Amino acid sequence: MKNQIISLLVLICVPLLLHAEDGHNLWLRGKSTASVNVVCSKHSATIDIAEQELHQEWQGKANATVVLTIKPNKFIKGDGYMLSDDGVQANTDLGILYGVFALLRHQQTGNPIRDVIISNPSYERRILDHWDNLDGTIERGYAGRSIFWHDGKDSLAVTEKDKKLWQAYARANASIGINGAVLDNVNASPLILTTAYLNRVKAIAAVLRPYGIRTYLSVNFASPIVIGGLKTADPLNPEVQKWWKDKAREIYGLIPDFGGFLVKANSEGQPGPQNYGRTHADGANVMADALRPFGGIVMWRAFVYSANDKDRAKQAYSEFMPLDGKFRDNVIIQVKNGPIDFQPREPFSPLFGAMKQTSVMSELEITQEYLGQAIHLVFLAPMWKEFLKSDTYQEGKGSTVARCTDGTIFSQKYTAIAGVSNIGSDTNWCGHPFAQANWYAFGRLAWNDQLSSDQIADEWLKLTFMPTASEDKTKSTVLPIVWDIKFLKPVKQMMLESREAAVNYMMPLGLHCLFAPENHYGPGPWWAPKYVRKDWTAPYYHQADTAGIGFDRTENGSDAVSQYHEPLRSLFNDVNTCPEIYLLWFHHLPWTYKLKSGRTLWDALCYHYQEGLDQVREFQKTWDRVQPYVDSERFYVVQSKLRQQCENAQVWKDACLLYFQQFSRMPIPYDIERPVHNLNDLKNDMGRSR
Ligand code: BDP
């Protein structure tokens, strides 16, 4: 009966008059439906923006009065805010802007403010890392070219078009609480620190500033040599120290609120202090000392590994733990969520919680380098939540990664979190309409690491897809209910399942790094040319042979388990207690090993791959069913990407099962669909599977 009523309502309410949408407005589609009076005794560029947003997007009571009050309150921290019926209170102008965006979000998601709400940021610095090269290309970018850098003649000239785009970018970030942007690739060109480039940074910073966004730069450790003309970049050399100090002074002369440096050193061929027999601490501290007088910070990355290490997963910990306590207090060690490299699933890096006398921040990857790029629909909040909620046990039970990095457990001078951006010059910014949800989710979690994936997906879907007031010509009061049931519920379910689906069809049960080389998109579990260093080949990670599969990181293997605090060390070490999601990350097991389900390891792998593929097929059906509720432009884009995702999931399944079957020598269970590709064709096509 309920279903019949809903069907009837659907017939009454649709077709909606949905305008085609190109996605450029992101989650900021709200338009005011009534006028509002804004009262504020202070004026500043930031407050003016807050007022303008209220007028532009107000959907509350007509002619209501909103009071913006800047007054300290002991419950409001940093740029936090308090919302009530009467308005917004904050300590800072930026807090007011954040509060206004929150108020509008409440209105637009149909969640009126009934009580007083206080909201404080989990991390003080909430930063997007742009891997943008100075020629306008983007490393691991899948949504066009850089919005900051162009190539060709006059590439450094600042145009009105540039400024408009930077402003839209800043507004979107401010609306979700992001307050920092690293403007260039971690594989940094020394040129970024030349005056010509710094002048462009100054122009970018001027547009971002009223929105509360500080600019940061990735810098190349060899800059004193390449652009400074020195003979060395040795951090203990006085001339080098002076060079960094002078450079810092120049930067702050142009950009007084400059945030600081991000550094990739002695990593994947980048220069660093080890070139001079010095440590990461020596390297980071020389920059930290230069930035300190101006309030700047250094985010020094822990992404290091060498060709000779027996287990790449161990190296960051081995290299950084002995340096704990040796870094200046304006250095933060930036650690990727997992010990290897942004794989579809990794356990958390053991450095979290372990470095007790050094500030540590997490680095997440918003751009879907290893998760289907701008083609696969993969909502990343569940992956980040899994990571942030991981218990490190470093200071007893409940020492989650979130609590170890947000200042709750360790008092860090600065707390921060970074996400590698998925933003480019494409009209819809992120390539895939649903990839916008990952930008949104990163910002929301950086602000409040306690939010659930469900809440974030719910908000984002309402803001991004709900018919806007002007479209809803039917003005039917039942429409939101129908929309909730017919669109919101199934699409949210699809989003929440999508990361697990990707793990299933790519790398289930703790498998990792099975990608085709270079583009990191399709499968390449066989890829191991002799000329390539072993830790860049797939068999190094899966170790499949006729005896079994998986990387032995137990005490009997590489002993990576010993980098984890008890009880995790024992839990991961024992195959009977190791969580199945990490099984082949920590263990090398026979194909016939029996899992808890009673299935053999081989059968379980087969079922996971099939399940992943089936999940994507369901996503296709879900999306087709919601067609009446989506404008045609975005509907067809997503539909077509889902088709490709499904085709790719089939390729992943066939490639991995046919390849591993050569070792397992066991049949694919007969209730599973047969492969539709031949292994040799897939190998020949490798890397071109898009
Ligand atoms: C890897 C990327 C590479 C980055 C590197 C890094 O493939 O493009 O430069 O990480 O984080 O995952 O430095």
Side-chain angles (χ1 to χ4, degrees):
M1 185 60 186
K2 192 173 151 212
N3 276 347
Q4 280 162 342
I5 295 176
I6 291 168
S7 307
L8 196 71
L9 292 177
V10 174
L11 281 178
I12 300 168
C13 300
V14 293
L16 299 168
L17 299 169
L18 298 172
H19 303 297
E21 292 203 39
D22 59 15
H24 193 67
N25 292 334
L26 296 158
W27 48 86
L28 294 163
R29 300 154 60 245
K31 297 243 164 44
S32 75
T33 51
S35 64
V36 61
N37 308 308
V38 184
V39 178
C40 185
S41 55
K42 188 178 168 192
H43 278 285
S44 70
T46 304
I47 297 286
D48 290 351
I49 294 171
E51 290 194 16
Q52 194 188 325
E53 291 292 338
L54 280 169
H55 290 299
Q56 246 173 249
E57 301 211 9
W58 183 255
Q59 295 187 4
K61 259 196 251 130
N63 297 322
T65 298
V66 177
V67 184
L68 307 179
T69 316
I70 302 148
K71 195 169 96 191
N73 171 310
K74 66 175 178 192
F75 299 109
I76 306 175
K77 309 260 181 290
D79 292 321
Y81 55 81
M82 183 165 84
L83 303 183
S84 64
D85 245 3
D86 317 331
V88 182
Q89 185 181 335
N91 295 329
T92 61
D93 294 10
L94 189 54
I96 294 287
L97 181 60
Y98 290 151
V100 162
F101 275 121
L103 182 69
L104 296 170
R105 183 165 58 234
H106 274 271
Q107 293 179 346
Q108 287 161 18
T109 54
N111 181 16
I113 294 160
R114 295 209 173 82
D115 231 331
V116 171
I117 297 176
I118 295 181
S119 184
N120 292 316
S122 297
Y123 303 88
E124 188 218 324
R125 313 256 171 157
R126 305 171 295 277
I127 302 176
L128 285 183
D129 290 355
H130 290 265
W131 285 359
D132 293 16
N133 297 311
L134 303 186
D135 65 0
T137 56
I138 305 181
E139 180 148 347
R140 313 303 174 188
Y142 312 104
R145 297 176 65 83
S146 170
I147 61 167
F148 300 118
W149 310 106
H150 310 305
D151 59 354
K153 211 163 123 288
D154 296 333
S155 63
L156 292 176
V158 176
T159 65
E160 284 310 308
K161 194 170 155 219
D162 282 336
K163 286 203 232 166
K164 206 170 149 223
L165 196 60
W166 298 339
Q167 191 187 9
Y169 161 86
R171 176 178 180 236
N173 278 331
S175 76
I176 49 175
I178 289 171
N179 67 357
V182 180
L183 303 182
D184 61 323
N185 192 359
V186 281
N187 295 314
S189 162
L191 287 182
I192 189 69
L193 290 181
T194 55
T195 308
Y197 280 93
L198 289 177
N199 275 323
R200 188 170 172 89
V201 175
K202 177 183 172 180
I204 298 171
V207 178
L208 270 44
R209 186 169 298 119
Y211 290 88
I213 299 160
R214 282 176 189 237
T215 45
Y216 298 75
L217 293 176
S218 291
V219 299
N220 186 300
F221 197 79
S223 302
I225 304 176
V226 186
I227 60 163
L230 301 187
K231 292 216 163 47
T232 176
D234 181 349
L236 300 195
N237 177 302
E239 275 186 76
V240 172
Q241 294 170 349
K242 180 172 181 307
W243 189 87
W244 284 112
K245 286 195 169 129
D246 291 346
K247 192 45 84 179
R249 196 171 313 111
E250 181 190 351
I251 295 173
Y252 281 91
L254 295 168
I255 309 149
D257 58 347
F258 180 69
F261 295 152
L262 171 63
V263 193
K264 172 174 179 177
N266 293 123
S267 160
E268 298 188 329
Q270 292 298 332
Q274 293 173 347
N275 299 23
Y276 308 94
R278 314 296 183 196
T279 67
H280 285 289
D282 297 328
N285 291 345
V286 67
M287 295 183 188
D289 289 343
L291 296 170
R292 169 189 302 281
F294 310 99
I297 63 167
V298 175
M299 296 173 285
W300 190 269
R301 297 177 88 222
F303 179 62
V304 294
Y305 60 99
S306 81
N308 312 323
D309 214 66
K310 286 223 172 53
D311 182 0
R312 172 172 165 185
K314 289 177 68 179
Q315 197 167 335
Y317 184 99
S318 314
E319 240 179 86
F320 278 81
M321 277 309 283
L323 300 175
D324 191 18
K326 301 215 160 63
F327 294 91
R328 301 281 191 264
D329 65 2
N330 58 333
V331 175
I332 312 187
I333 305 302
Q334 181 167 308
V335 184
K336 289 189 181 183
N337 59 289
I340 294 190
D341 191 3
F342 295 141
Q343 294 301 295
R345 173 168 273 135
E346 297 190 34
F348 70 89
S349 160
L351 276 171
F352 290 105
M355 290 192 92
K356 298 181 198 302
Q357 297 166 64
T358 306
S359 301
V360 173
M361 64 188 281
S362 329
E363 178 178 337
L364 307 172
E365 195 178 45
I366 308 170
T367 189
Q368 291 166 239
E369 174 181 2
Y370 295 101
L371 278 148
Q373 300 174 7
I375 293 170
H376 295 202
L377 189 159
V378 184
F379 180 50
L380 298 176
M383 175 162 104
W384 299 333
K385 285 297 290 185
E386 178 177 296
F387 160 68
L388 291 166
K389 283 198 315 206
S390 297
D391 200 340
T392 70
Y393 290 94
Q394 286 285 351
E395 296 290 312
K397 198 165 164 17
S399 309
T400 59
V401 171
R403 297 181 74 237
C404 285
T405 50
D406 68 10
T408 315
I409 295 183
F410 304 108
S411 60
Q412 304 193 169
K413 183 159 180 196
Y414 301 99
T415 60
I417 187 165
V420 181
S421 142
N422 61 354
I423 297 161
S425 60
D426 277 4
T427 303
N428 73 2
W429 300 89
C430 304
H432 194 306
F434 277 77
Q436 296 178 354
N438 293 329
W439 176 7
Y440 184 86
F442 171 76
R444 296 290 287 130
L445 280 175
W447 180 271
N448 180 357
D449 59 19
Q450 301 303 308
L451 287 178
S452 70
S453 304
D454 187 295
Q455 259 170 287
I456 297 170
D458 201 272
E459 268 178 21
W460 179 78
L461 281 168
K462 284 177 177 162
L463 296 170
T464 308
F465 284 105
M466 204 150 68
T468 57
S470 58
E471 279 166 349
D472 178 12
K473 294 265 177 3
T474 61
K475 281 275 175 262
S476 161
T477 49
V478 294
L479 188 67
I481 306 170
V482 175
W483 189 84
D484 269 19
I485 297 170
K486 289 290 188 178
F487 181 88
L488 181 65
K489 207 163 160 250
V491 177
K492 184 163 70 178
Q493 186 54 35
M494 166 173 84
M495 286 174 77
L496 293 176
E497 237 185 77
S498 58
R499 185 277 185 133
E500 204 58 44
V503 170
N504 280 330
Y505 64 72
M506 285 181 177
M507 288 170 230
L509 294 171
L511 287 173
H512 48 288
C513 301
L514 304 186
F515 290 96
E518 310 299 340
N519 73 9
H520 298 164
Y521 184 78
W526 48 78
W527 195 76
K530 292 237 165 14
Y531 60 87
V532 157
R533 51 190 265 193
K534 291 247 168 337
D535 60 340
W536 284 351
T537 69
Y540 171 95
Y541 298 97
H542 63 66
Q543 309 258 321
D545 55 24
T546 51
I549 181 169
F551 199 121
D552 185 355
R553 295 193 166 102
T554 68
E555 286 164 2
N556 302 324
S558 78
D559 200 26
V561 291
S562 71
Q563 296 183 337
Y564 289 91
H565 199 282
E566 286 293 13
L568 290 182
R569 175 191 183 151
S570 306
L571 195 99
F572 292 154
N573 190 57
D574 182 348
V575 68
N576 295 309
T577 52
C578 180
E580 254 173 32
I581 52 171
Y582 304 135
L583 200 61
L584 302 176
W585 183 282
F586 287 112
H587 297 270
H588 184 82
L589 297 170
W591 296 104
T592 52
Y593 174 80
K594 279 265 167 55
L595 297 187
K596 300 212 172 62
S597 62
R599 281 182 178 149
T600 62
L601 176 57
W602 167 250
D603 281 3
L605 268 184
C606 295
Y607 282 107
H608 272 290
Y609 278 104
Q610 182 65 47
E611 192 187 347
L613 175 57
D614 290 345
Q615 284 170 299
V616 182
R617 293 206 171 114
E618 278 307 315
F619 298 166
Q620 288 187 284
K621 290 184 200 158
T622 300
W623 190 250
D624 282 357
R625 267 189 223 116
V626 302
Q627 181 166 11
Y629 307 95
V630 191
D631 61 285
S632 59
E633 196 164 345
R634 289 184 298 174
F635 176 78
Y636 288 117
V637 171
V638 174
Q639 186 186 53
S640 140
K641 285 182 187 284
L642 280 169
R643 281 185 193 139
Q644 213 175 331
Q645 182 173 357
C646 191
E647 209 179 300
N648 294 161
Q650 177 85 57
V651 166
W652 269 98
K653 175 194 154 195
D654 291 359
C656 293
L657 292 186
L658 290 173
Y659 170 74
F660 289 135
Q661 193 178 33
Q662 302 174 111
F663 305 106
S664 81
R665 299 175 180 164
M666 292 163 80
I668 294 175
Y670 295 104
D671 57 342
I672 285 182
E673 285 166 18
R674 305 295 90 188
V676 300
H677 299 95
N678 288 310
L679 185 57
N680 277 338
D681 297 342
L682 291 172
K683 282 188 181 175
N684 290 335
D685 193 38
M686 187 180 64
R688 271 172 279 133
S689 52
R690 339 180 13 181

